[in-house]
Amino acid sequence: MHSQILRLWMLVALLWMPLLAFAAADLEINTPAISSLKTAMQQRHGQLAGHFASGAVGLTRDGLVAVRDAALVPLAQRQAVNGLVAAENQDRQALYREIARANGHPEWEEEIHSTFAQRWVQKAAPGWWHQNHSGAWVRK
Amino acid sequence: MKTLPMAKTKLAKRDFVPLSLWERARSEGNGHSESLLHYWGQRIAMTVLAVLLAATVSACVTINIYFPAAAAEKAADKIIDEVWQLKKQGDAPAPAKPDEQK
């Protein structure tokens, strides 16, 4: 009987162990898919950074980017900027989806998406434009 | 007197105490008081264990339902830092100890 109780206690302790690990755990973000998306976005940022700074492109409230004021871009470059924005948004959405999937919870995509939406704005450089909660453009 | 089926077996006396045993012990006198304490101690231990087990199982179920907001924020920050190259790694590429290995 005593050994039975002891064994049960050990079982309970064992069951709680992964929980403790979980509390301290990070999300998995080191998969090949996420890494390649990161690299692509990093390279694209070299081209987009100037447009963020000029205010031509801004951060939307839903975690993506958008052309805010096309007039700030020389006519010859507008098409290219549109392409950059479209590619960036595609990668961002793929990134949110991949993080959710890499952690075994595809249903987390929406929440990861909104987490990123907040963090992009939080980390944006002063002078960059972003949308506030009601969708209006504000300068940081 | 109607007793629980478990109380009829010999095993039940040592391993498990149905409520009817308590009543029987009371009518038999105090000869069983010591073992009764032992029985009830085990009963309480088993109850605590059962509650803990239930809590453990339910925790295991719920932990996967809730979104780990803090971990997500941390992951987002890490990725944004890399994509926007906010954390410069080239600042001090560990020449802190070039060491005088002459």
Side-chain angles (χ1 to χ4, degrees):
Chain A
M1 186 69 185
H2 280 304
S3 69
Q4 218 177 330
I5 291 180
L6 195 73
R7 242 179 291 154
L8 267 167
W9 275 113
M10 281 159 77
L11 177 71
V12 169
L14 225 89
L15 277 168
W16 279 94
M17 268 181 184
L19 218 76
L20 294 175
F22 185 90
D26 294 336
L27 283 189
E28 171 65 71
I29 49 169
N30 289 320
T31 68
I34 293 171
S35 292
S36 71
L37 283 167
K38 261 192 323 197
T39 310
M41 289 165 74
Q42 201 181 64
Q43 282 167 358
R44 193 178 303 112
H45 184 66
Q47 297 164 269
L48 271 174
H51 298 299
F52 279 130
S54 77
V57 176
L59 302 162
T60 64
R61 59 179 163 168
D62 60 353
L64 302 174
V65 298
V67 175
R68 190 190 71 89
D69 189 355
L72 292 168
V73 184
L75 197 60
Q77 284 180 36
R78 280 183 203 166
Q79 207 55 40
V81 171
N82 282 334
L84 284 173
V85 166
E88 175 71 10
N89 286 337
Q90 226 169 14
D91 279 358
R92 284 190 177 200
Q93 274 165 327
L95 177 73
Y96 307 148
R97 191 168 50 243
E98 276 307 320
I99 295 171
R101 202 188 298 171
N103 288 277
H105 287 277
E107 75 276 9
W108 284 355
E109 182 184 338
E110 270 309 305
E111 280 158 302
I112 288 168
H113 195 135
S114 54
T115 302
F116 266 87
Q118 291 165 21
R119 301 314 294 167
W120 287 118
V121 171
Q122 198 79 36
K123 286 186 166 274
W128 290 14
W129 290 79
H130 65 91
Q131 283 177 332
N132 63 15
H133 290 297
S134 51
W137 288 106
V138 288
R139 195 158 185 251
K140 204 178 165 188
Chain B
M1 183 177 148
K2 203 176 172 188
T3 51
L4 288 169
M6 272 185 101
K8 283 179 184 165
T9 67
K10 283 189 176 174
L11 256 182
K13 258 195 165 180
R14 269 255 153 255
D15 293 344
F16 189 77
V17 187
L19 273 172
S20 60
L21 252 189
W22 170 256
E23 287 157 10
R24 197 191 295 170
R26 272 175 66 155
S27 63
E28 279 172 4
N30 43 17
H32 285 71
S33 59
E34 200 190 342
S35 57
L36 258 180
L37 251 177
H38 178 73
Y39 287 147
W40 279 100
Q42 291 190 344
R43 255 194 102 113
I44 290 166
M46 289 301 285
T47 309
V48 170
L49 261 172
V51 169
L52 254 173
L53 257 174
T56 305
V57 170
S58 67
C60 286
V61 172
T62 52
I63 202 77
N64 280 332
I65 291 171
Y66 294 114
F67 176 68
E73 215 164 274
K74 208 170 138 195
D77 283 355
K78 199 160 172 254
I79 289 176
I80 293 169
D81 285 346
E82 280 178 52
V83 170
W84 282 354
Q85 291 167 333
L86 298 175
K87 297 260 166 75
K88 286 152 196 157
Q89 287 124 2
D91 274 1
K97 284 180 189 172
D99 282 341
E100 281 84 40
Q101 294 171 344
K102 294 160 195 170

